Structures are given as structure tokens and as C-alpha cells.
Amino acid sequence: MSKRIRIDKLIAHMGLGTRSEIKRAVKLGMVVVDDKVVKDSGLIVDPDTAKVYFDGAPVVYRDVVYFMLNKPQGVISATEDSRERTVIDLLELSDRQRDPFPVGRLDKDTVGLLLLTNDGQLAHELLSPRKHVAKTYEALVHGDVGEEDQQLFLAGVALDDGYVTMPAELHIKSREQRDDEIFSSISLTIMEGKFHQVKRMFEAVGKKVVYLKRVSMGPLKLDETLEEGSYRELTEEELELLRSHKRKTD
Ligand code: URA
């Protein structure tokens, strides 16, 4: 079956500019399809067969997809597993067929923002330890999280394997007492992604994470209207945010 896509959308989707930049480029005669200068940025093309040039260079179409998932508890961040349900099992068949994979891992019991894509390059950039992409988590912690923990996290704490974490920003939102126990609601922003990092950071200060949710990754924020287990494609604005973040950190 042939695909149909607007030319401005196709070029923007390949990361060559925002939709309005592409529209402007069309007006300037910079877009050529099948040897003809495009006059209408709404021109519909088949991306698999159209010969597209942007500013003199061929545009190679790749069927890239970007999904934002609000990961629920009980599924693992993998593409397949013989025993456990994976985040890919939550996708519709037609979306699964485009071979997306999770960008990084959330633990089985962690919920929240998980990006799924088949764009290996973007995933690599977001996961590269050199890029220090900020990730913010909200958590309920068993214990009285206080100023001392904020200072310790800012300075870096030693995890169980001796690794000392990079400075991390801890906000204490509230504390509540249940029976004789104190629980703290916090948010924590870390710039790295070691295995079970948030849980191990709290273990390092003698406390235990009992609920963990990721709410942002780089410039991408969890859409709180997405129910746990639901997902949607990134908007053009979100995709552009990710791409401009990548350009800034190149
Ligand atoms: N840190 C953790 O401990 N678990 C996660 O799932 C993510 C960050």
C-alpha cells in the first residue's frame, strides 16, 4: 500500500527544520520533488517513491516513530522477554510493526515517562553518558528526607558499588506520618542513569523508595493526561524540542 504524506511534514519529520521553516523554504523554491520545484507545501507525496530534494540535497526518508508512553508498573523496559510483559506489548500491532524500542530503562515497578522510538541515533544521543541528559523523578520515600539529604545529593553520594554520583537536585514536597512511620514526597533530578540509581541513592542515605515515577527526560515532559499504560506519538513541538536539545549538546 502506498503511503501519503504532506511534503512539509515529510521534510520536518526527517529533522531538517520545523514545519514553518519548511513552509518558508517552499516559498523560496528550495524544495524539489520529482524534478519539479514545489509550489504548495501541502503537496501530498508517497515518501517511499518520491525523489525529494531540500536545499539541493536529497532527503532520504526513514519511517521513524516517536511514542511517549506512561509506563505502568508490572511491565519491563525491553522489546521481548519469554516470561514478562514488555512495554512493547502495550503497543497496537501496527505500531509494534515499526520496531520501536525503549530509550533507556525504567524498573518493572517504576511508572512514568518512557520514550519509544526506532530512531537509533536520537536514542543514542539521549542515553549517552557524555550528554548528561537531565531526568526528573517524583518519589515517595520511606523516611524523613531532609536538608542534610539535599546537601549530600548535591555533593554526590557513594552507591553500594563505590560509584559517587554527580550532583543531583532534591526537592522535598511534603512529609506525612502513617502509623509511626514517616514518608516523604520528593522530586529528584539526576544527570546520569546508573542501574536503579534513584533507589540506590536513597539507600545510600538510609532510606527506601516505595514509589517512583519519571516525569521528564531532557526537554520532554510526561503528558499527565496520558493514563498509565497509554501512549501517543510525540507532537511536532516535542520532537523539535528533542532535536534542538540534541543540536545544543552536539
Ligand atoms: N532509578 C531507579 O532506581 N529506578 C528507575 O526505574 C529509574 C531510576
Short mmCIF file of all heavy atoms in Angstrom, two decimals, residues 119-180:
data_model
loop_
_atom_site.label_atom_id
_atom_site.label_comp_id
_atom_site.label_asym_id
_atom_site.label_seq_id
_atom_site.Cartn_x
_atom_site.Cartn_y
_atom_site.Cartn_z
N ASP A 119 14.39 5.36 16.13
CA ASP A 119 15.44 6.28 15.70
C ASP A 119 16.67 6.05 16.60
O ASP A 119 16.80 6.66 17.67
CB ASP A 119 14.92 7.72 15.83
CG ASP A 119 15.94 8.77 15.38
OD1 ASP A 119 17.14 8.44 15.27
OD2 ASP A 119 15.53 9.91 15.15
N GLY A 120 17.53 5.16 16.14
CA GLY A 120 18.68 4.76 16.95
C GLY A 120 19.60 5.92 17.29
O GLY A 120 20.16 5.98 18.38
N GLN A 121 19.71 6.85 16.34
CA GLN A 121 20.64 7.96 16.56
C GLN A 121 20.16 8.87 17.69
O GLN A 121 20.92 9.23 18.59
CB GLN A 121 20.74 8.76 15.27
CG GLN A 121 22.04 9.50 15.15
CD GLN A 121 22.04 10.37 13.91
OE1 GLN A 121 21.29 10.11 12.96
NE2 GLN A 121 22.85 11.39 13.91
N LEU A 122 18.87 9.20 17.66
CA LEU A 122 18.32 10.07 18.72
C LEU A 122 18.40 9.36 20.08
O LEU A 122 18.78 9.95 21.09
CB LEU A 122 16.88 10.46 18.41
CG LEU A 122 16.35 11.51 19.37
CD1 LEU A 122 16.59 12.92 18.85
CD2 LEU A 122 14.87 11.32 19.64
N ALA A 123 18.08 8.06 20.07
CA ALA A 123 18.13 7.29 21.31
C ALA A 123 19.55 7.30 21.87
O ALA A 123 19.77 7.52 23.06
CB ALA A 123 17.67 5.86 21.05
N HIS A 124 20.50 7.10 20.99
CA HIS A 124 21.91 7.06 21.41
C HIS A 124 22.31 8.38 22.07
O HIS A 124 22.96 8.40 23.11
CB HIS A 124 22.76 6.77 20.18
CG HIS A 124 24.22 6.78 20.46
ND1 HIS A 124 24.85 5.74 21.11
CD2 HIS A 124 25.17 7.71 20.24
CE1 HIS A 124 26.12 6.04 21.27
NE2 HIS A 124 26.35 7.22 20.74
N GLU A 125 21.88 9.49 21.45
CA GLU A 125 22.23 10.81 21.99
C GLU A 125 21.61 11.01 23.38
O GLU A 125 22.24 11.57 24.27
CB GLU A 125 21.68 11.92 21.09
CG GLU A 125 22.23 11.89 19.69
CD GLU A 125 23.60 12.51 19.60
OE1 GLU A 125 23.94 13.32 20.48
OE2 GLU A 125 24.35 12.18 18.65
N LEU A 126 20.36 10.56 23.53
CA LEU A 126 19.69 10.78 24.81
C LEU A 126 20.29 9.91 25.91
O LEU A 126 20.23 10.26 27.09
CB LEU A 126 18.19 10.47 24.68
CG LEU A 126 17.36 11.52 23.95
CD1 LEU A 126 15.97 10.99 23.65
CD2 LEU A 126 17.26 12.79 24.79
N LEU A 127 20.86 8.78 25.51
CA LEU A 127 21.38 7.84 26.51
C LEU A 127 22.87 8.01 26.77
O LEU A 127 23.39 7.49 27.76
CB LEU A 127 21.12 6.40 26.07
CG LEU A 127 19.64 5.99 26.00
CD1 LEU A 127 19.50 4.59 25.43
CD2 LEU A 127 19.01 6.06 27.38
N SER A 128 23.53 8.74 25.87
CA SER A 128 24.98 8.84 26.00
C SER A 128 25.37 9.44 27.36
O SER A 128 24.92 10.53 27.72
CB SER A 128 25.52 9.72 24.87
OG SER A 128 26.83 10.13 25.20
N PRO A 129 26.21 8.74 28.12
CA PRO A 129 26.61 9.27 29.43
C PRO A 129 27.32 10.63 29.31
O PRO A 129 27.30 11.43 30.23
CB PRO A 129 27.57 8.22 29.98
CG PRO A 129 27.50 7.05 29.07
CD PRO A 129 26.87 7.48 27.78
N ARG A 130 27.91 10.89 28.15
CA ARG A 130 28.63 12.16 27.96
C ARG A 130 27.68 13.36 27.88
O ARG A 130 28.06 14.49 28.09
CB ARG A 130 29.45 12.12 26.66
CG ARG A 130 30.73 11.31 26.77
CD ARG A 130 31.50 11.35 25.46
NE ARG A 130 30.72 10.86 24.33
CZ ARG A 130 30.24 11.62 23.37
NH1 ARG A 130 30.46 12.91 23.35
NH2 ARG A 130 29.54 11.09 22.39
N LYS A 131 26.43 13.09 27.52
CA LYS A 131 25.49 14.20 27.29
C LYS A 131 24.80 14.68 28.56
O LYS A 131 24.18 15.74 28.57
CB LYS A 131 24.42 13.77 26.27
CG LYS A 131 24.97 13.39 24.92
CD LYS A 131 25.27 14.62 24.09
CE LYS A 131 26.16 14.30 22.92
NZ LYS A 131 25.67 14.73 21.65
N HIS A 132 24.87 13.89 29.63
CA HIS A 132 24.27 14.29 30.91
C HIS A 132 22.85 14.81 30.75
O HIS A 132 22.52 15.94 31.16
CB HIS A 132 25.12 15.36 31.60
CG HIS A 132 26.55 14.94 31.78
ND1 HIS A 132 26.90 13.72 32.34
CD2 HIS A 132 27.72 15.53 31.47
CE1 HIS A 132 28.21 13.61 32.37
NE2 HIS A 132 28.73 14.68 31.83
N VAL A 133 22.01 14.03 30.12
CA VAL A 133 20.61 14.44 29.95
C VAL A 133 19.90 14.38 31.30
O VAL A 133 19.97 13.36 32.01
CB VAL A 133 19.92 13.52 28.91
CG1 VAL A 133 18.42 13.81 28.84
CG2 VAL A 133 20.56 13.68 27.54
N ALA A 134 19.24 15.48 31.67
CA ALA A 134 18.57 15.55 32.99
C ALA A 134 17.31 14.68 32.98
O ALA A 134 16.55 14.69 32.02
CB ALA A 134 18.21 16.99 33.30
N LYS A 135 17.12 13.94 34.06
CA LYS A 135 15.90 13.14 34.22
C LYS A 135 15.32 13.46 35.59
O LYS A 135 16.03 13.45 36.59
CB LYS A 135 16.22 11.64 34.14
CG LYS A 135 16.46 11.18 32.71
CD LYS A 135 17.39 10.03 32.61
CE LYS A 135 18.79 10.38 32.98
NZ LYS A 135 19.83 10.27 31.99
N THR A 136 14.03 13.79 35.59
CA THR A 136 13.40 14.14 36.87
C THR A 136 12.40 13.06 37.27
O THR A 136 11.61 12.60 36.45
CB THR A 136 12.72 15.52 36.78
OG1 THR A 136 13.71 16.49 36.47
CG2 THR A 136 12.06 15.91 38.10
N TYR A 137 12.50 12.70 38.54
CA TYR A 137 11.64 11.66 39.10
C TYR A 137 10.87 12.24 40.28
O TYR A 137 11.39 13.08 41.02
CB TYR A 137 12.49 10.49 39.63
CG TYR A 137 13.22 9.75 38.54
CD1 TYR A 137 14.46 10.20 38.09
CD2 TYR A 137 12.67 8.62 37.95
CE1 TYR A 137 15.13 9.53 37.07
CE2 TYR A 137 13.35 7.94 36.93
CZ TYR A 137 14.56 8.42 36.50
OH TYR A 137 15.22 7.76 35.49
N GLU A 138 9.65 11.74 40.45
CA GLU A 138 8.91 12.01 41.68
C GLU A 138 8.87 10.70 42.44
O GLU A 138 8.74 9.63 41.83
CB GLU A 138 7.49 12.48 41.36
CG GLU A 138 7.48 13.85 40.72
CD GLU A 138 6.11 14.34 40.32
OE1 GLU A 138 5.14 13.55 40.40
OE2 GLU A 138 6.02 15.50 39.92
N ALA A 139 9.00 10.81 43.77
CA ALA A 139 9.05 9.56 44.53
C ALA A 139 8.40 9.72 45.89
O ALA A 139 8.34 10.83 46.45
CB ALA A 139 10.50 9.11 44.71
N LEU A 140 7.93 8.60 46.40
CA LEU A 140 7.53 8.53 47.81
C LEU A 140 8.62 7.72 48.50
O LEU A 140 8.94 6.60 48.06
CB LEU A 140 6.16 7.85 47.94
CG LEU A 140 5.61 7.84 49.36
CD1 LEU A 140 5.27 9.26 49.81
CD2 LEU A 140 4.36 6.97 49.45
N VAL A 141 9.17 8.32 49.53
CA VAL A 141 10.33 7.69 50.19
C VAL A 141 9.98 7.39 51.64
O VAL A 141 9.42 8.25 52.34
CB VAL A 141 11.55 8.66 50.13
CG1 VAL A 141 12.76 8.04 50.82
CG2 VAL A 141 11.88 9.00 48.68
N HIS A 142 10.28 6.17 52.05
CA HIS A 142 10.08 5.79 53.45
C HIS A 142 11.23 6.38 54.25
O HIS A 142 12.38 5.99 54.04
CB HIS A 142 10.06 4.25 53.56
CG HIS A 142 9.77 3.78 54.95
ND1 HIS A 142 10.03 2.49 55.36
CD2 HIS A 142 9.26 4.42 56.01
CE1 HIS A 142 9.69 2.37 56.62
NE2 HIS A 142 9.21 3.51 57.04
N GLY A 143 10.91 7.35 55.10
CA GLY A 143 11.96 8.01 55.88
C GLY A 143 11.75 9.50 55.83
O GLY A 143 10.98 10.02 55.01
N ASP A 144 12.43 10.19 56.71
CA ASP A 144 12.30 11.64 56.83
C ASP A 144 13.39 12.30 55.99
O ASP A 144 14.50 12.52 56.46
CB ASP A 144 12.42 12.01 58.31
CG ASP A 144 12.05 13.46 58.56
OD1 ASP A 144 11.71 14.17 57.59
OD2 ASP A 144 12.10 13.88 59.73
N VAL A 145 13.05 12.61 54.75
CA VAL A 145 14.06 13.21 53.86
C VAL A 145 14.20 14.68 54.24
O VAL A 145 13.20 15.39 54.37
CB VAL A 145 13.63 13.08 52.37
CG1 VAL A 145 14.67 13.71 51.46
CG2 VAL A 145 13.41 11.61 52.00
N GLY A 146 15.43 15.11 54.43
CA GLY A 146 15.62 16.48 54.91
C GLY A 146 16.74 17.21 54.20
O GLY A 146 17.29 16.73 53.20
N GLU A 147 17.07 18.38 54.79
CA GLU A 147 18.09 19.25 54.20
C GLU A 147 19.44 18.56 54.06
O GLU A 147 20.17 18.78 53.10
CB GLU A 147 18.26 20.47 55.10
CG GLU A 147 17.94 21.76 54.40
CD GLU A 147 17.99 22.90 55.37
OE1 GLU A 147 19.09 23.24 55.82
OE2 GLU A 147 16.91 23.44 55.69
N GLU A 148 19.72 17.72 55.05
CA GLU A 148 21.00 17.02 55.01
C GLU A 148 21.11 16.15 53.74
O GLU A 148 22.15 16.10 53.07
CB GLU A 148 21.13 16.15 56.26
CG GLU A 148 22.54 15.65 56.48
CD GLU A 148 22.61 14.65 57.63
OE1 GLU A 148 21.76 14.72 58.54
OE2 GLU A 148 23.49 13.79 57.59
N ASP A 149 19.98 15.49 53.41
CA ASP A 149 19.98 14.66 52.19
C ASP A 149 20.15 15.53 50.95
O ASP A 149 20.84 15.15 50.00
CB ASP A 149 18.66 13.87 52.10
CG ASP A 149 18.47 12.97 53.30
OD1 ASP A 149 19.40 12.21 53.62
OD2 ASP A 149 17.40 13.04 53.94
N GLN A 150 19.53 16.74 50.99
CA GLN A 150 19.68 17.64 49.85
C GLN A 150 21.15 17.97 49.63
O GLN A 150 21.65 17.95 48.51
CB GLN A 150 18.89 18.94 50.09
CG GLN A 150 17.40 18.74 49.95
CD GLN A 150 16.63 20.02 50.24
OE1 GLN A 150 16.85 20.68 51.25
NE2 GLN A 150 15.72 20.37 49.35
N GLN A 151 21.85 18.27 50.75
CA GLN A 151 23.28 18.61 50.65
C GLN A 151 24.09 17.42 50.15
O GLN A 151 24.96 17.56 49.30
CB GLN A 151 23.82 19.06 52.02
CG GLN A 151 23.18 20.32 52.57
CD GLN A 151 23.27 21.47 51.59
OE1 GLN A 151 24.24 21.57 50.83
NE2 GLN A 151 22.26 22.32 51.56
N LEU A 152 23.76 16.25 50.70
CA LEU A 152 24.50 15.05 50.30
C LEU A 152 24.32 14.76 48.81
O LEU A 152 25.26 14.45 48.08
CB LEU A 152 24.03 13.83 51.11
CG LEU A 152 24.46 13.81 52.59
CD1 LEU A 152 23.72 12.74 53.36
CD2 LEU A 152 25.98 13.57 52.68
N PHE A 153 23.07 14.89 48.33
CA PHE A 153 22.80 14.61 46.91
C PHE A 153 23.48 15.64 46.02
O PHE A 153 23.90 15.33 44.91
CB PHE A 153 21.30 14.57 46.65
CG PHE A 153 20.63 13.28 47.07
CD1 PHE A 153 21.31 12.32 47.80
CD2 PHE A 153 19.31 12.99 46.72
CE1 PHE A 153 20.72 11.13 48.18
CE2 PHE A 153 18.70 11.79 47.10
CZ PHE A 153 19.41 10.87 47.83
N LEU A 154 23.55 16.87 46.52
CA LEU A 154 24.20 17.93 45.74
C LEU A 154 25.71 17.66 45.64
O LEU A 154 26.34 17.92 44.61
CB LEU A 154 23.94 19.28 46.43
CG LEU A 154 23.92 20.51 45.55
CD1 LEU A 154 22.98 20.35 44.36
CD2 LEU A 154 23.51 21.72 46.39
N ALA A 155 26.25 17.13 46.71
CA ALA A 155 27.70 16.86 46.73
C ALA A 155 28.02 15.55 45.99
O ALA A 155 29.12 15.38 45.47
CB ALA A 155 28.17 16.76 48.17
N GLY A 156 27.05 14.62 45.92
CA GLY A 156 27.29 13.29 45.34
C GLY A 156 27.39 12.27 46.45
O GLY A 156 28.09 12.50 47.45
N VAL A 157 26.66 11.17 46.27
CA VAL A 157 26.70 10.11 47.30
C VAL A 157 27.35 8.86 46.72
O VAL A 157 27.27 8.60 45.52
CB VAL A 157 25.29 9.75 47.84
CG1 VAL A 157 24.76 10.83 48.74
CG2 VAL A 157 24.31 9.44 46.71
N ALA A 158 27.97 8.07 47.61
CA ALA A 158 28.60 6.83 47.14
C ALA A 158 27.54 5.72 47.13
O ALA A 158 26.89 5.47 48.14
CB ALA A 158 29.75 6.46 48.08
N LEU A 159 27.37 5.08 45.97
CA LEU A 159 26.42 3.97 45.87
C LEU A 159 27.07 2.70 46.42
O LEU A 159 28.26 2.69 46.76
CB LEU A 159 26.01 3.76 44.40
CG LEU A 159 25.36 4.98 43.72
CD1 LEU A 159 24.95 4.63 42.29
CD2 LEU A 159 24.15 5.48 44.51
N ASP A 160 26.29 1.62 46.45
CA ASP A 160 26.78 0.38 47.06
C ASP A 160 28.04 -0.18 46.39
O ASP A 160 28.81 -0.91 47.00
CB ASP A 160 25.66 -0.69 47.09
CG ASP A 160 24.89 -0.74 45.79
OD1 ASP A 160 25.35 -0.15 44.79
OD2 ASP A 160 23.82 -1.38 45.75
N ASP A 161 28.26 0.19 45.11
CA ASP A 161 29.46 -0.32 44.43
C ASP A 161 30.61 0.69 44.49
O ASP A 161 31.62 0.53 43.80
CB ASP A 161 29.13 -0.66 42.97
CG ASP A 161 28.57 0.54 42.21
OD1 ASP A 161 28.46 1.64 42.81
OD2 ASP A 161 28.25 0.39 41.02
N GLY A 162 30.42 1.77 45.26
CA GLY A 162 31.50 2.74 45.42
C GLY A 162 31.41 3.91 44.45
O GLY A 162 32.11 4.92 44.62
N TYR A 163 30.56 3.79 43.43
CA TYR A 163 30.43 4.89 42.46
C TYR A 163 29.86 6.13 43.14
O TYR A 163 28.87 6.05 43.86
CB TYR A 163 29.52 4.45 41.30
CG TYR A 163 29.26 5.57 40.32
CD1 TYR A 163 30.21 5.90 39.34
CD2 TYR A 163 28.09 6.33 40.40
CE1 TYR A 163 29.98 6.96 38.48
CE2 TYR A 163 27.87 7.39 39.52
CZ TYR A 163 28.82 7.69 38.57
OH TYR A 163 28.60 8.73 37.71
N VAL A 164 30.50 7.29 42.92
CA VAL A 164 29.99 8.54 43.50
C VAL A 164 29.17 9.28 42.45
O VAL A 164 29.66 9.58 41.35
CB VAL A 164 31.15 9.41 44.04
CG1 VAL A 164 30.62 10.73 44.59
CG2 VAL A 164 31.93 8.66 45.12
N THR A 165 27.93 9.57 42.81
CA THR A 165 27.00 10.16 41.83
C THR A 165 27.34 11.63 41.55
O THR A 165 27.94 12.31 42.38
CB THR A 165 25.55 10.08 42.35
OG1 THR A 165 25.48 10.69 43.63
CG2 THR A 165 25.09 8.64 42.46
N MET A 166 26.89 12.09 40.39
CA MET A 166 27.05 13.50 40.04
C MET A 166 26.06 14.33 40.87
O MET A 166 25.07 13.79 41.36
CB MET A 166 26.74 13.71 38.56
CG MET A 166 27.77 13.12 37.62
SD MET A 166 27.24 13.32 35.92
CE MET A 166 27.09 15.08 35.80
N PRO A 167 26.29 15.64 40.97
CA PRO A 167 25.35 16.47 41.74
C PRO A 167 23.92 16.28 41.26
O PRO A 167 23.66 16.24 40.05
CB PRO A 167 25.82 17.90 41.44
CG PRO A 167 27.26 17.74 41.09
CD PRO A 167 27.41 16.41 40.42
N ALA A 168 23.02 16.12 42.22
CA ALA A 168 21.61 15.90 41.89
C ALA A 168 20.76 16.82 42.75
O ALA A 168 21.10 17.09 43.91
CB ALA A 168 21.24 14.45 42.16
N GLU A 169 19.68 17.30 42.15
CA GLU A 169 18.85 18.30 42.85
C GLU A 169 17.65 17.64 43.48
O GLU A 169 16.83 17.03 42.77
CB GLU A 169 18.40 19.33 41.83
CG GLU A 169 18.29 20.71 42.41
CD GLU A 169 17.97 21.71 41.31
OE1 GLU A 169 18.80 21.90 40.39
OE2 GLU A 169 16.87 22.26 41.37
N LEU A 170 17.55 17.77 44.79
CA LEU A 170 16.47 17.12 45.54
C LEU A 170 15.52 18.19 46.10
O LEU A 170 15.96 19.12 46.77
CB LEU A 170 17.08 16.32 46.69
CG LEU A 170 16.15 15.67 47.70
CD1 LEU A 170 15.23 14.66 47.04
CD2 LEU A 170 16.97 14.98 48.81
N HIS A 171 14.24 18.04 45.79
CA HIS A 171 13.21 18.93 46.36
C HIS A 171 12.31 18.11 47.27
O HIS A 171 11.87 17.02 46.87
CB HIS A 171 12.35 19.57 45.27
CG HIS A 171 13.09 20.55 44.46
ND1 HIS A 171 13.32 21.84 44.88
CD2 HIS A 171 13.69 20.43 43.25
CE1 HIS A 171 14.02 22.47 43.97
NE2 HIS A 171 14.28 21.63 42.97
N ILE A 172 12.05 18.68 48.46
CA ILE A 172 11.15 17.97 49.38
C ILE A 172 9.78 18.63 49.25
O ILE A 172 9.65 19.85 49.46
CB ILE A 172 11.69 18.05 50.82
CG1 ILE A 172 13.09 17.42 50.83
CG2 ILE A 172 10.76 17.33 51.78
CD1 ILE A 172 13.97 17.92 51.93
N LYS A 173 8.79 17.84 48.87
CA LYS A 173 7.47 18.45 48.63
C LYS A 173 6.61 18.40 49.88
O LYS A 173 5.95 19.36 50.23
CB LYS A 173 6.80 17.73 47.46
CG LYS A 173 7.59 17.92 46.17
CD LYS A 173 6.74 17.78 44.95
CE LYS A 173 6.63 16.35 44.57
NZ LYS A 173 6.09 16.13 43.24
N SER A 174 6.60 17.26 50.56
CA SER A 174 5.81 17.15 51.79
C SER A 174 6.26 15.91 52.56
O SER A 174 6.96 15.05 52.02
CB SER A 174 4.32 17.04 51.45
OG SER A 174 4.10 15.89 50.67
N ARG A 175 5.82 15.87 53.81
CA ARG A 175 6.09 14.69 54.63
C ARG A 175 4.79 14.31 55.30
O ARG A 175 3.98 15.16 55.64
CB ARG A 175 7.10 15.01 55.73
CG ARG A 175 8.48 15.32 55.23
CD ARG A 175 9.42 15.50 56.40
NE ARG A 175 10.70 16.02 55.95
CZ ARG A 175 10.99 17.31 55.85
NH1 ARG A 175 10.08 18.22 56.14
NH2 ARG A 175 12.18 17.70 55.45
N GLU A 176 4.58 13.03 55.49
CA GLU A 176 3.38 12.61 56.23
C GLU A 176 3.71 11.43 57.12
O GLU A 176 4.63 10.66 56.83
CB GLU A 176 2.24 12.26 55.26
CG GLU A 176 2.52 11.08 54.37
CD GLU A 176 1.32 10.70 53.52
OE1 GLU A 176 0.31 10.24 54.09
OE2 GLU A 176 1.42 10.84 52.28
N GLN A 177 2.93 11.34 58.19
CA GLN A 177 3.16 10.25 59.14
C GLN A 177 2.06 9.21 58.93
O GLN A 177 0.88 9.56 58.86
CB GLN A 177 3.10 10.81 60.57
CG GLN A 177 3.59 9.81 61.56
CD GLN A 177 4.22 10.49 62.78
OE1 GLN A 177 4.44 11.70 62.79
NE2 GLN A 177 4.50 9.70 63.79
N ARG A 178 2.46 7.94 58.77
CA ARG A 178 1.47 6.87 58.69
C ARG A 178 1.81 5.88 59.79
O ARG A 178 2.91 5.31 59.75
CB ARG A 178 1.55 6.15 57.35
CG ARG A 178 1.15 7.01 56.18
CD ARG A 178 1.07 6.15 54.94
NE ARG A 178 1.11 6.98 53.75
CZ ARG A 178 1.36 6.52 52.53
NH1 ARG A 178 1.62 5.23 52.35
NH2 ARG A 178 1.37 7.32 51.50
N ASP A 179 0.91 5.65 60.71
CA ASP A 179 1.20 4.92 61.95
C ASP A 179 2.41 5.60 62.58
O ASP A 179 2.39 6.80 62.79
CB ASP A 179 1.43 3.42 61.68
CG ASP A 179 0.19 2.80 61.04
OD1 ASP A 179 -0.92 3.22 61.41
OD2 ASP A 179 0.34 1.95 60.15
N ASP A 180 3.50 4.87 62.78
CA ASP A 180 4.65 5.53 63.40
C ASP A 180 5.73 5.87 62.39
O ASP A 180 6.83 6.27 62.76
CB ASP A 180 5.23 4.62 64.50
CG ASP A 180 4.56 4.89 65.83
OD1 ASP A 180 3.85 5.91 65.91
OD2 ASP A 180 4.74 4.08 66.75
#
